[in-house]
Amino acid sequence: MTMLQETAEKALQHGKQFIPQGKVADYIPELGKVDPNQLGLCLLTTDKEKICCGDVDHRFTMQSVSKTATLAIALQELGFDEVFSHVMMEPSGDAFNSILKLDLASNRPYNPLLNAGAIEVISLLSPTSSFDELLSYIRVLCMDTDIVLDEDVYQSEYLTGNRNRAIGYLLKSKGVLQGDVLKTVDLYFKMCSLSVNARSLAGFGLILANGGIDPYSGRRILDGWVCRTVKTLMLTCGMYDGSGEFAVRVGIPAKSGVGGGIMASADNRMGIGVFGPSLDDKGNSISGIQALEYLSHELNLHIFESQR
């Protein structure tokens, strides 16, 4: 067993201790059916080492991790200035589905990793990008050709997603969202309902960590500035309203989703994918955060770690 494999196994066991302190997301009924005791961890390094332990092959839905993918695609296809003329880059300090600042402080969403910001980014992509085209792009980003739409979760989101429709209509009323609200929000639901596993998220994290280049094929997937922008927003906004504490304790750019996934990107080192559906009160995988904090400490992965 390599040092990296041993460290990952210990991180997994450390994380498992915290599972009972959380609970699965049940506001989307289909997510409430998931076994909370699962935990998987996958590390893919820039020098092509693969480390997997636990429930790495279990499929779950991307949920908010998809926001980083659609942001990356929008930046790549539309450019920096166009995207950030519609959405800001600031942490909000509010819950992911909050509309307080959107209604009271600013017409533009505070950042692309909030629901409002992600819906606005989808509205920028939808005139020229179909669901199938976005799916194909995300398969490449995640190095996973088996990603498909989870129909059950999608239907569950569609039936219970009135708050997101309300966000869409609020954006429309402010003149920010230009397209059809229902079609835009429906595409947002579909992006959240893509079925991935911990390996998929590690693949995406690796592409970002490697400056947009797939180290296996040598193919450039994203421009370097796109990766830099996405990783910066992940560090400041990626863990909902727990982003500040996560940045201090773990210090790895990461994005979570209420399906239990966390995609993390340790610059020039590795991509990390986590699946742990037991969530804390912020909506983040409680065991996943603990596993990542363990890895960060043991492998000196904190972005401001001086001993590299």
Side-chain angles (χ1 to χ4, degrees):
M1 183 182 293
T2 67
M3 182 277 290
L4 192 58
Q5 180 78 49
E6 184 176 354
T7 303
E9 295 282 357
K10 288 180 178 178
L12 187 84
Q13 295 307 315
H14 174 73
K16 281 185 175 179
Q17 302 174 66
F18 296 86
I19 289 175
Q21 297 180 25
K23 63 178 185 177
V24 297
D26 54 11
Y27 69 95
I28 300 172
E30 199 65 26
L31 298 184
K33 300 176 182 179
V34 177
D35 177 5
N37 295 307
Q38 298 173 97
L39 182 60
L41 183 62
C42 180
L43 285 60
L44 299 179
T45 71
T46 53
D47 58 4
K48 304 178 186 178
E49 189 172 359
K50 298 180 181 181
I51 304 295
C52 294
C53 49
D55 300 298
V56 293
D57 295 315
H58 181 86
R59 291 270 165 181
F60 57 96
T61 50
M62 287 188 89
Q63 298 301 323
S64 285
V65 182
S66 68
K67 295 170 181 174
T68 53
T70 51
L71 172 61
I73 295 168
L75 289 169
Q76 188 70 39
E77 299 297 317
L78 304 174
F80 184 95
D81 291 341
E82 173 64 13
V83 171
F84 289 114
S85 67
H86 294 267
V87 59
M88 297 191 294
M89 311 176 219
E90 303 303 325
S92 74
D94 294 329
F96 60 91
N97 60 355
S98 173
I99 61 172
L100 288 174
K101 286 188 170 67
L102 180 63
D103 197 29
L104 300 176
S106 170
N107 285 340
R108 288 186 296 158
Y110 259 55
N111 66 72
L113 304 185
L114 294 169
N115 288 18
I119 289 169
E120 178 61 21
V121 168
I122 289 286
S123 79
L124 300 178
L125 287 170
S126 59
T128 56
S129 300
S130 67
F131 167 73
D132 287 337
E133 289 169 331
L134 292 175
L135 172 58
S136 295
Y137 213 136
I138 289 173
R139 285 173 171 169
V140 173
L141 288 174
C142 293
M143 304 182 191
D144 183 358
T145 57
D146 294 328
I147 296 174
V148 295
L149 180 69
D150 185 319
E151 288 284 354
D152 291 336
V153 173
Y154 164 63
Q155 291 297 330
S156 192
E157 295 217 24
Y158 183 85
L159 292 172
T160 59
N162 287 323
R163 187 176 184 86
N164 286 318
R165 293 185 184 94
I167 289 171
Y169 279 114
L170 182 57
L171 289 168
K172 184 76 171 179
S173 73
K174 291 173 174 289
V176 179
L177 192 153
Q178 299 299 318
D180 181 274
V181 171
L182 294 180
K183 289 180 180 178
T184 298
V185 176
D186 187 64
L187 184 55
Y188 169 78
F189 291 151
K190 287 180 177 176
M191 291 297 101
C192 290
S193 302
L194 295 180
S195 178
V196 295
N197 57 27
R199 297 176 192 268
S200 318
L201 299 190
F204 187 12
L206 177 60
I207 295 289
L208 294 174
N210 205 41
I213 297 173
D214 180 339
Y216 295 96
S217 68
R219 175 187 173 192
R220 176 167 291 283
I221 310 301
L222 297 169
D223 288 340
W225 69 266
V226 172
C227 296
R228 183 179 67 245
T229 303
V230 172
K231 286 181 289 189
T232 304
L233 284 164
M234 286 164 59
L235 184 68
T236 57
C237 310
M239 302 296 286
Y240 303 131
D241 46 329
S243 296
E245 182 174 352
F246 185 87
V248 172
R249 291 182 178 275
V250 182
I252 308 172
K255 183 71 195 87
S256 63
V258 295
I262 303 177
M263 180 272 288
S265 182
D267 218 23
N268 301 311
R269 300 279 298 275
M270 66 182 69
I272 306 170
V274 180
F275 169 58
S278 182
L279 309 180
D280 64 16
D281 59 358
K282 308 289 188 184
N284 299 313
S285 170
I286 194 164
S287 55
I289 285 178
Q290 293 295 328
L292 285 169
E293 185 172 352
Y294 185 96
L295 284 175
S296 179
H297 181 267
E298 294 297 317
L299 301 176
N300 293 329
L301 296 178
H302 196 293
I303 193 169
F304 298 120
E305 179 61 60
S306 58
Q307 297 177 349
R308 290 281 176 150

